[in-house]
Amino acid sequence: MESKHNFQRPTFTFQLFFKEWIKSRWALLVTLLAFVGIITYTFIGMSTELRVLGAGTVWESIVMKGIIYFDSLKYLFLLAGVLLAVVQYTPEMINKRLKLTLHLPLPERRIVLSMLLYGLLALAVLFLLVYGAVRIGVGRYYPVEITQWNLAAILPWLWGGIAAYLLTAWITIEPAWKQRLCNGLVALCLLRLFYFDELPGAYAPLLPFLITLIVLSVSFSFYSIIRFKEGV
Amino acid sequence: MDKIITCENITHYYGSRLIYENLNFEVPRGKILGLLGKNGTGKTTIINILNGYLKPRAGECRLFGERMERLSPQTKARVGLLIEGHIQHSYFNVVQIERFYGRFFPRWKKDAYYELLKKLQVSPTQKISTMSCGQRSQVALGLLFAQDPELMILDDFSMGLDPGYRRLFVEYLKEFASAEGKTVFLTSHIIQDMELLIDDCIILDYGSILLHRPTREILDTFHRFRFRTVRPPAAGTHGLLRNTEKTGALWETYSFLSPDDVVRELRAQGADPEDLTQERLSLEDAFIGLTGKY
């Protein structure tokens, strides 16, 4: 029976997704509600402004002063990434449950990748919904240039949320507190790169570098896993 | 004989504190081996090394011939692991955890899990985090039985369990181990439970293995001797007499020797033993006799 068992079966990844879903579903719901709340509030403010001040004044303040409507979302992407990583990986580290996870009959690399992939997919879905809502919502009131302007503003924050997820996973899986603090400091410096106060679009030349950083930070968690396995 | 576990020349330190030096042992197929030792002798450490969750300073362990740090999925499926404190993924409920594990293991026996859970007063939707330690132990045991592994590694299985649950655990485990080819490697701080269960016994002292023998042999050949003496013998462990000490009006010592040889040994140490009596020991008493009370 065992010889016929395929230990590489793709459905095993979905089994791991199931475990991650059970851990994170409430956190994802809370994050979604927070985004819905802030976006709704922003749109209400936007339409009130148009009605009270008139389109001309609002237009002038956008063009002349560079006003961005979705400032309040700035750190929500970051918090969403941090929260998801904490709810996914803290239960694994409490009582060293990660031993049970790594003991599943799958290659360890695949187990860790599946857990990270779940988080990245969950954030991708969430952030795409937000991105879509901003695009559609702003597009209803303003021309395409203003919509692009707002989307360009939130794009680095959105990538910052993804980076925050990967870096928090790296910190949480790290078994030693001292090293965790060092990782935390490095993570803060790296995350700062996504949150410089610049005009929308100013990040465009930097985005490939930031995305490379995100891709690289996928590997950081593997380093923590190696240290966990060595019993550091 | 088919070796399921081999540990060769394991040396490990925590900081500068030596845990073991050149630890060697093997566990053949079909045996239940108990690892006994006082707190801090490294029982959990060896289990962590065996499963690849701790890199020793030197030496290597193999499970089913594979190096501990690189176990293949096939080998992991053959090993059932119980972590100290019956730790499980406590965010799952009773049904979810079975559904989660069930797909991974080729020999999964769903009925074995649910049969054990019938004994618990829990609903299918009850979260494991809301269960008592005893109930969690049954969930963990049920999952292990459902996995039907060839080797079970159990770290302090009796931790936090009341006598009823401990007995239940031991009975099920004994039944599991009686099936052909099953091997169990376990630790427990309640040695009474081990006596009912284990074939072989490793007693760890600080830094090394004190003894590795069949349990029956220890129970049959290791005794406590009580005697009177005017001239005191050397206290503690000397030669072939272990943990000699005065308790009340009598002296006592522990040894694998016959009564005549014990008398000879005591005389060689300067004592003049009288009224020497020999007592059979439980495994717990034998453990105390070998390692001392403190």
Side-chain angles (χ1 to χ4, degrees):
Chain A
M1 193 197 291
E2 225 163 310
S3 57
K4 288 178 191 166
H5 191 78
N6 178 10
F7 288 96
Q8 300 292 337
R9 211 189 282 172
T11 52
F12 290 161
T13 300
F14 294 109
Q15 284 299 105
L16 288 167
F17 281 7
F18 171 62
K19 177 165 82 76
E20 300 312 304
W21 167 248
I22 296 291
K23 282 188 281 186
S24 63
R25 55 195 166 160
W26 293 111
L28 286 172
L29 181 66
V30 167
T31 312
L32 180 66
L33 290 177
F35 274 116
V36 169
I38 288 179
I39 290 172
T40 309
Y41 182 79
T42 310
F43 282 134
I44 290 170
M46 197 188 281
S47 73
T48 310
E49 214 175 63
L50 280 170
R51 270 188 286 110
V52 175
L53 301 175
T57 317
V58 173
W59 176 260
E60 191 188 333
S61 65
I62 291 174
V63 174
M64 303 307 288
K65 295 177 189 165
I67 284 178
I68 301 296
Y69 278 107
F70 293 92
D71 262 1
S72 42
L73 286 181
K74 188 172 183 181
Y75 293 108
L76 196 57
F77 290 107
L78 180 110
L79 286 176
V82 170
L83 179 67
L84 184 59
V86 166
V87 298
Q88 262 190 273
Y89 302 106
T90 307
E92 298 286 338
M93 298 312 286
I94 293 175
N95 294 318
K96 299 193 174 178
R97 279 195 195 97
L98 188 58
K99 286 181 190 174
L100 292 171
T101 302
L102 295 178
H103 189 68
L104 289 169
L106 295 174
E108 278 160 14
R109 203 179 310 152
R110 183 166 160 202
I111 294 172
V112 180
L113 260 180
S114 300
M115 290 166 79
L116 291 171
L117 185 64
Y118 167 84
L120 292 174
L121 286 175
L123 286 179
V125 170
L126 196 65
F127 291 177
L128 278 174
L129 286 174
V130 173
Y131 195 80
V134 170
R135 192 189 179 113
I136 294 166
V138 179
R140 277 192 61 185
Y141 296 104
Y142 294 106
V144 69
E145 287 79 5
I146 303 295
T147 309
Q148 296 296 348
W149 170 269
N150 276 279
L151 291 175
I154 65 170
L155 202 59
W157 307 337
L158 187 149
W159 285 114
I162 302 279
Y165 169 76
L166 291 168
L167 293 170
T168 310
W170 171 49
I171 297 165
T172 315
I173 299 169
E174 164 58 43
W177 274 104
K178 222 176 180 178
Q179 183 67 39
R180 241 180 226 166
L181 286 174
C182 294
N183 293 0
L185 285 174
V186 173
L188 278 177
C189 295
L190 293 177
L191 287 174
R192 186 76 187 91
L193 296 175
F194 293 85
Y195 291 93
F196 286 129
D197 285 322
E198 293 287 349
L199 282 173
Y203 264 97
L206 203 61
L207 271 182
F209 166 72
L210 295 180
I211 292 168
T212 310
L213 185 74
I214 289 170
V215 173
L216 281 178
S217 56
V218 171
S219 64
F220 293 1
S221 293
F222 287 90
Y223 177 66
S224 292
I225 292 285
I226 289 169
R227 285 171 54 79
F228 178 85
K229 283 209 73 189
E230 287 182 351
V232 173
Chain B
M1 200 181 287
D2 202 359
K3 293 169 197 161
I4 303 299
I5 299 175
T6 51
C7 279
E8 287 173 1
N9 301 317
I10 297 290
T11 298
H12 192 64
Y13 288 80
Y14 284 124
S16 59
R17 188 166 78 88
L18 174 73
I19 305 298
Y20 331 103
E21 191 155 31
N22 292 323
L23 190 79
N24 289 285
F25 68 89
E26 289 170 353
V27 185
R29 184 182 292 279
K31 289 281 182 191
I32 308 180
L33 188 136
L35 190 63
L36 311 182
K38 290 180 175 177
N39 292 341
T41 49
K43 300 187 292 293
T44 298
T45 300
I46 198 71
I47 285 189
N48 284 335
I49 291 172
L50 269 178
N51 285 290
Y53 295 122
L54 182 62
K55 192 178 178 186
R57 194 71 69 86
E60 70 167 32
C61 289
R62 287 175 181 272
L63 298 184
F64 294 99
E66 284 184 15
R67 283 176 63 99
M68 66 232 175
E69 70 276 20
R70 292 192 181 279
L71 295 180
S72 65
Q74 288 81 354
T75 297
K76 287 198 273 184
R78 296 164 82 185
V79 181
L81 176 64
L82 181 80
I83 297 179
E84 190 174 1
H86 311 279
I87 303 301
Q88 262 305 336
H89 295 288
S90 53
Y91 34 82
F92 281 130
N93 68 31
V94 168
V95 173
Q96 286 167 341
I97 200 163
E98 188 280 325
R99 201 184 301 155
F100 171 67
Y101 277 115
R103 309 267 164 82
F104 286 108
F105 294 98
R107 301 180 348 177
W108 191 256
K109 293 174 176 168
K110 190 177 179 176
D111 295 344
Y113 172 75
Y114 282 109
E115 194 188 315
L116 201 66
L117 284 212
K118 272 187 211 158
K119 294 186 191 305
L120 304 179
Q121 303 298 314
V122 293
S123 72
T125 53
Q126 186 170 345
K127 261 192 167 186
I128 294 166
S129 58
T130 64
M131 291 181 182
S132 70
C133 188
Q135 289 173 324
R136 271 191 286 122
S137 75
Q138 295 307 293
V139 171
L141 190 64
L143 292 169
L144 282 175
F145 287 154
Q147 184 190 335
D148 192 25
E150 289 172 56
L151 167 66
M152 270 197 198
I153 298 180
L154 313 175
D155 190 6
D156 207 349
F157 71 86
S158 48
M159 188 183 197
L161 301 186
D162 65 29
Y165 274 118
R166 263 173 32 221
R167 185 57 62 89
L168 195 64
F169 204 112
V170 167
E171 281 169 3
Y172 269 94
L173 208 54
K174 212 166 177 179
E175 198 183 313
F176 165 84
S178 64
E180 205 179 322
K182 302 289 186 191
T183 309
V184 183
F185 182 82
L186 55 90
T187 70
S188 168
H189 68 284
I190 300 185
I191 299 169
Q192 263 172 305
D193 298 339
M194 305 277 254
E195 190 171 338
L196 299 168
L197 197 61
I198 57 177
D199 303 315
D200 287 353
C201 180
I202 290 181
I203 298 181
L204 283 177
D205 202 358
Y206 296 101
S208 61
I209 289 177
L210 192 65
L211 191 78
H212 181 177
R213 289 194 194 183
T215 314
R216 183 50 39 208
E217 189 186 315
I218 296 171
L219 295 175
D220 287 344
T221 59
F222 190 65
H223 297 104
R224 176 164 51 211
F225 299 90
R226 287 203 160 106
F227 56 94
R228 293 176 193 285
T229 179
V230 177
R231 292 195 301 271
T237 297
H238 295 276
L240 298 166
L241 303 182
R242 301 197 66 89
N243 293 299
T244 307
E245 63 175 358
K246 195 175 183 191
T247 52
L250 294 176
W251 281 79
E252 65 179 34
T253 191
Y254 298 83
S255 184
F256 284 101
L257 297 175
S258 67
D260 290 344
D261 288 337
V262 169
V263 168
R264 219 166 288 137
E265 188 73 22
L266 284 167
R267 284 191 178 135
Q269 290 182 15
D272 51 346
E274 286 176 16
D275 306 331
L276 185 119
T277 57
Q278 175 182 312
E279 293 170 26
R280 277 186 72 84
L281 300 173
S282 64
L283 189 60
E284 185 167 297
D285 287 335
F287 174 76
I288 297 285
L290 283 159
T291 62
K293 287 174 189 154
Y294 313 109

